[in-house]
């Protein structure tokens, strides 16, 4: 099985909209951009589309987390899970954000930008590319009973780092919204997260963590500062088809 590390070299890319200026900086590791979104949020369809545009650039990798606090307005989000809200909440103190909101972009765990401000999002991506920290060695490999093994090595930039495993549905999906603020809309979704698992903490040296595998989805192993700190690296595996081959 061939696995693709997000630490692999990539060429220069635009960080903002496709027709804007080129990023002034480049990094071997693409910036991880997370979007917290909801099917009940009126501003989220456009933010979801922009997430897909960002992902076209080689120096950006994107994930979308659906949150459930818009459900009170009449529509239950089909992707939302409580742990995604908790992840967004975890970021608040480190980003100096006073409350939960959507659509919220979180850029590599170090800054946030509202989904309606594309210039701020692209500017934050460019700034991160210009100041990308060294990454520990991260490998994502097959484990026993269909699991994934996350292998880490190196010196952590902080005393301790958190290790997460994410499964996501790559590419675009459309969902017809039947009620709430977006009633009647065929809402676009991109790289929607399907599972989020905390694997443990890492304080340096060689270490291995095991997590559940959802082979029909893409998988990302994320290493970041404890309690919603900066992203220091990640490894990425493409989904498999029914014959066990990667897409």
């Amino acid at each position: 099985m061939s696995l693709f590390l997000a630490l692999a070299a990539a060429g220069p890319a635009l960080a903002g909209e496709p027709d804007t200026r080129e990023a002034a900086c480049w990094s071997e590791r693409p910036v991880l951009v997370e979007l917290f979104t909801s099917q009940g949020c009126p501003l989220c369809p456009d933010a979801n589309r922009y997430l897909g545009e960002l992902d076209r650039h080689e120096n950006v990798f994107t994930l979308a987390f659906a949150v459930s606090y818009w459900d009170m307005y009449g529509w239950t989000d089909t992707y939302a899970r409580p742990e995604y809200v908790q992840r967004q909440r975890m970021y608040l103190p480190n980003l100096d954000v006073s409350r939960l909101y959507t659509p919220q972009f979180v850029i590599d765990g170090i800054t946030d930008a509202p989904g309606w401000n594309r210039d701020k999002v692209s500017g934050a991506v460019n700034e991160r590319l210009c100041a990308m920290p060294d990454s520990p060695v991260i490998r994502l490999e097959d484990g026993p009973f269909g699991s994934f093994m996350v292998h880490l090595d190196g010196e952590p930039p902080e005393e301790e780092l958190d290790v997460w495993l994410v499964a996501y549905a790559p590419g675009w999906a459309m969902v017809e919204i039947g009620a709430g603020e977006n009633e009647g809309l065929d809402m676009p979704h991109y790289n929607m997260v399907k599972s989020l698992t905390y694997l443990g903490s890492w304080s340096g040296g060689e270490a291995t963590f095991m997590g559940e595998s959802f082979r029909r989805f893409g998988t990302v192993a994320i290493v970041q500062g404890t309690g919603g700190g900066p992203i220091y690296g990640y490894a990425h595996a493409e989904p498999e088809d029914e014959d066990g081959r990667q897409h």
Side-chain angles (χ1 to χ4, degrees):
M1 174 181 175
S2 175
L3 296 176
F4 297 89
L5 298 184
L7 303 177
L14 302 181
E17 297 183 56
D19 58 351
T20 60
R21 66 188 186 281
E22 285 199 17
C25 299
W26 171 82
S27 168
E28 289 188 350
R29 174 175 75 78
V31 175
L32 177 60
V33 176
E34 301 172 65
L35 172 63
F36 293 93
T37 182
S38 171
Q39 292 170 354
C41 158
L43 296 177
C44 286
D46 186 60
N48 292 355
R49 283 188 285 268
Y50 182 49
L51 189 77
E53 293 175 21
L54 283 172
D55 199 60
R56 290 164 52 188
H57 309 312
E58 292 177 304
N59 258 167
V60 180
F61 181 73
T62 66
L63 293 170
F65 293 85
V67 297
S68 58
Y69 44 82
W70 280 88
D71 291 0
M72 68 179 71
Y73 298 106
W75 175 256
T76 300
D77 194 296
T78 59
Y79 287 100
R81 298 179 67 164
E83 53 266 39
Y84 307 160
V85 180
Q86 182 56 35
R87 181 168 180 82
Q88 187 184 22
R89 192 182 305 278
M90 181 179 68
Y91 276 127
L92 296 184
N94 291 333
L95 299 177
D96 195 25
V97 177
S98 60
R99 61 178 179 84
L100 297 173
Y101 74 93
T102 57
Q104 182 189 29
F105 285 92
V106 175
I107 295 87
D108 232 34
I110 63 166
T111 189
D112 86 309
W116 55 89
N117 192 334
R118 294 189 176 198
D119 287 343
K120 187 172 182 180
V121 175
S122 62
V125 170
N126 281 330
E127 288 179 10
R128 184 59 166 176
L129 289 172
C130 293
M132 183 67 70
D134 291 336
S135 173
V137 175
I138 310 170
R139 300 195 320 275
L140 186 58
E141 298 178 352
D142 292 332
F145 309 108
S147 66
F148 270 125
M149 307 298 291
V150 181
H151 301 286
L152 299 177
D153 197 8
E155 292 296 325
E158 299 182 17
E159 183 176 344
E160 233 176 30
L161 301 181
D162 288 337
V163 184
W164 297 88
L165 196 66
V166 175
Y168 73 100
W172 292 101
M174 301 295 291
V175 177
E176 184 178 353
I177 310 302
E181 297 286 337
N182 291 320
E183 182 177 3
L185 179 69
D186 285 332
M187 185 169 175
H189 298 71
Y190 189 79
N191 280 8
M192 297 302 298
V193 171
K194 304 290 287 186
S195 173
L196 173 67
T197 306
Y198 176 69
L199 298 185
S201 61
W202 176 67
S203 55
E206 294 186 20
T208 299
F209 300 84
M210 184 170 70
E212 187 174 2
S213 168
F214 299 91
R215 298 304 172 108
R216 67 187 183 280
F217 298 127
T219 303
V220 187
I222 300 173
V223 179
Q224 70 181 120
T226 57
I231 305 293
Y232 289 108
Y234 57 90
H236 173 221
E238 296 286 351
E240 292 181 353
D241 59 23
E242 294 181 357
D243 297 323
R245 296 173 298 185
Q246 289 191 308
H247 296 179

